[in-house]
Amino acid sequence: MVSATSLALDLAFHFDFRNSISFKPLRKPRILRARFSQEINPSKPAQEQHTAIEGVRTISVKEDHISRHDNSVHKQNNLPPLVSALKASAEKDTASFHFPGHNRGHAAPASLTQLIGRRPYVHDLPELPELDNLFCPEGPILEAQRQAAKLFGSSETWFLVGGTTCGIQAAIMATCSPGEFLILPRNSHLSAISAMVLSGALPKYIIPEYNNDWDIAGGVYPCQVLNAIQELQREGHEAAAVLITSPTYHGICSSLSEISELCHSHKIPLIVDEAHGAHLGFHSELPKSALQLGADLAVQSTHKVLCSLTQSSMIHMSGNIVDKERISRCLQTLQTTSPSYLLLASLDAASAQLNESPDSVFNQAIDLVFEARYQLKNIPGISVLENSSFPLFPAIDPLRLTVGFWKLGLSGYEADEILYRDHGIVCELVGNQSITFAFNLGTSKDHVQRLVSGIKHLASVYASIPQPEVTAFSCVAPFDDIMMSLIPRDAFFTSKRRVTLRESLGEVSGELICPYPPGIPVLIPGESITEKAINYLLHVRSKGAVITGASDPSISSIVICNL
């Protein structure tokens, strides 16, 4: 079978996505609808009963029909469109001779049904006619996407089953053809790098502000975008698109309103990696969303702060600068032809959940994070990230709580290990100097109390132990002096060899290497390897960071390009 990546490369670089070619898949014959029209007879005796593990409701299974003990789900007409269609399809009396092989749960592996029950398998259905087609939607998927577009304020919304990574790749491929320039921050997510490999776009990097005390990168200034545009113009080039990450993993927001005005004055589309900001704009205490601030494309991880299933995301479009048909063709190139309807339905459900009370749904989460922030700021030895740390940026997402421990002589990695081991506290992001905790709709008061108590206990223990204060590592922002020898696409396909880490100095990296999370590359294929970058990787690895992308996770050797 041809891989998605190889197919993407073939289509991206051997076809002009601006042409009128349409790659719509063939729909299943309409006649199939008649085969699935008979509803199950509720009078049939139950054939089996499954009891889930503690904390999960017992469900009765009548062949393919599931009798739910939650009265709310019986209100079929109140369900969002795709959820309703999935429910109805799962309850039909069918003789199933289609994929997937578990056959609506009849052959579901017992090891997993012990954890989640059989119900997810019953609803894990393929692309049946009544469930619509993700690549040319005409029914419940189309209606679900339209309702999401209305909620988020877009002119067009697409559901994604390949995460925001897929959306970023599609956005860049739809706006940048081979040889065209993309302006983006050097600390962009690795999906932007893979997008340049797929599209053949050339990077014009912006170096973001870096706070040495926190060892955290900030956002991008409008003047940096303008400088990048003008530098390209002086070299006889034009920018095909601008990509901005806002908010960052730590919640730092760039001045998107000014950046969008600047881009549009030059007729350049603005793409915003809003993976961490699907919730923005839905509360007075939250920053405005990228679409509200003028973005042309915004890609959101609906599964992060909002409540869809992991791996499900959305891409939103506003205005008419970007060709929506080109977006659709790129998404069809990148996404699986067998999308999970559980993931798609979860996007529909998450939108409906937010739409029930968009002005108040975040009240509790906001109250909890403000209370936690207030209490933590009063603990000796503890630092809390605030707007004052990045005063030139308009906002920091309040639902990201970043706490520093260097005054206690602890790195973020060390503090995280203690909080997890002694208090069962699981954070979202660990850094050299700090830990970031994500608050969301499911955050409870009990867990916030445990977090505050755990940090208080940690501070009381280590405040009494005399030790030197941990200062910011001198090798921060290791990408601020980059030199690119090959564009990412050429470096990806060139021949390579492995050398020791020290032998790699001055050579051209053949690997994309980054500490994870947050997935920000320190070395990108095509860049010259500097001592600064090597020292940074060794330092964060010694502190507990996981290095991804490297074929040698120990970082004792590295793959370089043969030039």
Side-chain angles (χ1 to χ4, degrees):
M1 179 179 290
V2 179
S3 69
T5 300
S6 60
L7 176 61
L9 290 171
D10 287 341
L11 293 178
F13 305 116
H14 297 291
F15 288 92
D16 180 358
F17 276 137
R18 290 193 177 95
N19 64 25
S20 60
I21 295 176
S22 176
F23 300 102
K24 291 185 177 180
L26 294 175
R27 295 180 60 81
K28 292 180 174 62
R30 296 285 183 176
I31 193 171
L32 285 180
R33 294 185 184 275
R35 298 183 182 178
F36 299 103
S37 62
Q38 182 182 356
E39 294 294 336
I40 190 164
N41 184 350
S43 65
K44 290 184 178 180
Q47 300 297 316
E48 57 184 319
Q49 189 173 41
H50 294 262
T51 302
I53 59 173
E54 181 180 359
V56 180
R57 181 181 293 109
T58 300
I59 59 175
S60 300
V61 180
K62 301 178 181 179
E63 294 188 357
D64 279 342
H65 175 70
I66 293 202
S67 175
R68 294 159 179 78
H69 301 294
D70 183 348
N71 291 330
S72 64
V73 298
H74 285 295
K75 300 175 182 177
Q76 183 93 353
N77 293 334
N78 292 333
L79 293 176
L82 187 52
V83 175
S84 179
L86 190 60
K87 176 180 184 291
S89 184
E91 291 177 349
K92 287 182 177 179
D93 182 10
T94 63
S96 302
F97 294 91
H98 57 70
F99 301 139
H102 60 71
N103 201 338
R104 301 185 178 226
H106 290 295
S111 59
L112 191 53
T113 57
Q114 290 180 44
L115 297 179
I116 65 174
R118 185 184 164 200
R119 184 183 298 184
Y121 286 95
V122 175
H123 294 85
D124 180 30
L125 297 175
E127 201 171 44
L128 299 174
E130 65 266 27
L131 295 181
D132 208 359
N133 186 312
L134 179 61
F135 297 119
C136 50
E138 299 174 350
I141 293 178
L142 178 62
E143 180 60 24
Q145 290 184 157
R146 283 176 173 172
Q147 290 186 9
K150 182 178 180 181
L151 174 67
F152 288 95
S154 68
S155 57
E156 196 85 21
T157 289
W158 293 264
F159 285 0
L160 307 176
V161 292
T164 294
T165 290
C166 169
I168 294 297
Q169 291 171 342
I172 292 175
M173 289 174 65
T175 53
C176 300
S177 296
E180 293 185 333
F181 280 88
L182 171 68
I183 296 174
L184 74 165
R186 175 52 184 76
N187 64 329
S188 294
H189 188 265
L190 58 88
S191 60
I193 310 305
S194 62
M196 288 189 285
V197 172
L198 291 168
S199 67
L202 310 181
K204 175 65 174 177
Y205 289 124
I206 293 172
I207 305 302
E209 179 183 329
Y210 214 91
N211 186 301
N212 288 353
D213 289 336
W214 284 93
D215 194 14
I216 288 176
V220 169
Y221 299 120
C223 63
Q224 292 178 297
V225 176
L226 177 60
N227 289 341
I229 292 172
Q230 292 175 339
E231 286 177 12
L232 286 175
Q233 289 175 338
R234 286 194 292 269
E235 297 166 1
H237 305 295
E238 298 290 336
V242 171
L243 170 70
I244 301 294
T245 303
S246 181
T248 66
Y249 210 151
H250 295 93
I252 302 164
C253 299
S254 294
S255 302
L256 292 182
S257 179
E258 296 175 51
I259 293 174
S260 66
E261 290 181 9
L262 175 63
C263 290
H264 295 159
S265 69
H266 289 81
K267 295 181 172 54
I268 301 171
L270 172 62
I271 305 166
V272 177
D273 178 350
E274 202 175 22
H276 295 276
H279 58 294
L280 298 188
F282 288 101
H283 192 281
S284 59
E285 295 289 346
L286 295 173
K288 289 184 177 181
S289 70
L291 290 178
Q292 291 171 329
L293 297 173
D296 299 290
L297 292 172
V299 192
Q300 300 175 338
S301 293
T302 320
H303 64 270
K304 293 191 184 300
V305 176
L306 301 184
C307 302
S308 67
L309 293 175
T310 298
Q311 195 177 312
S312 60
S313 295
M314 298 185 193
I315 180 169
H316 305 288
M317 186 179 78
S318 181
N320 55 11
I321 294 181
V322 180
D323 180 358
K324 72 175 184 179
E325 293 301 325
R326 192 172 178 183
I327 291 282
S328 295
R329 290 195 293 270
C330 291
L331 286 175
Q332 185 170 333
T333 301
L334 294 165
Q335 297 211 90
T336 175
T337 56
S338 302
S340 166
Y341 277 81
L342 287 173
L343 294 181
L344 294 172
S346 78
L347 288 168
D348 189 23
S351 296
Q353 178 189 38
L354 184 58
N355 195 44
E356 289 174 2
S357 52
D359 298 325
S360 60
V361 66
F362 285 103
N363 283 353
Q364 178 176 314
I366 294 290
D367 290 344
L368 288 173
V369 74
F370 281 0
E371 177 62 24
R373 189 180 302 275
Y374 173 77
Q375 293 188 51
L376 291 176
K377 286 168 62 176
N378 291 313
I379 300 176
I382 296 299
S383 303
V384 177
L385 183 69
E386 297 186 288
N387 290 68
S388 57
S389 301
F390 291 92
L392 298 182
F393 293 103
I396 295 180
D397 177 10
L399 294 184
R400 292 299 159 90
L401 179 60
T402 299
V403 182
F405 300 88
W406 63 85
K407 294 178 182 178
L408 299 173
L410 293 173
S411 70
Y413 302 107
E414 293 164 334
D416 175 63
E417 182 179 353
I418 295 167
L419 291 173
Y420 177 71
R421 181 192 65 213
D422 296 345
H423 303 278
I425 295 169
V426 181
C427 73
E428 172 57 33
L429 173 65
V430 187
N432 286 332
Q433 302 286 83
S434 62
I435 302 176
T436 298
F437 304 93
F439 283 61
N440 51 49
L441 295 178
T443 303
S444 69
K445 186 173 183 178
D446 289 345
H447 287 177
V448 173
Q449 291 174 342
R450 188 197 294 191
L451 171 64
V452 174
S453 297
I455 293 178
K456 279 183 179 179
H457 181 264
L458 180 151
S460 65
V461 170
Y462 283 86
S464 62
I465 302 176
Q467 49 187 301
E469 181 179 306
V470 174
T471 56
F473 183 52
S474 59
C475 182
V476 295
F479 41 73
D480 64 359
D481 59 351
I482 58 170
M483 183 175 71
M484 190 169 62
S485 300
L486 293 173
I487 66 172
R489 177 171 165 78
D490 289 347
F492 182 87
F493 288 106
T494 194
S495 63
K496 301 172 180 67
R497 71 181 190 276
R498 183 183 302 279
V499 298
T500 66
L501 195 62
R502 290 301 168 186
E503 289 174 337
S504 72
L505 279 174
E507 300 287 351
V508 177
S509 177
E511 298 184 291
L512 191 151
I513 302 177
C514 58
Y516 196 91
I520 305 302
V522 171
L523 286 173
I524 291 176
E527 292 180 353
S528 296
I529 300 171
T530 65
E531 186 171 6
K532 190 182 215 182
I534 289 176
N535 288 341
Y536 183 86
L537 288 170
L538 293 174
H539 172 75
V540 296
R541 183 179 177 275
S542 71
K543 292 296 184 180
V546 176
I547 308 298
T548 66
S551 56
D552 178 5
S554 69
I555 312 296
S556 59
S557 63
I558 192 170
V559 171
I560 63 172
C561 295
N562 286 324
L563 296 182

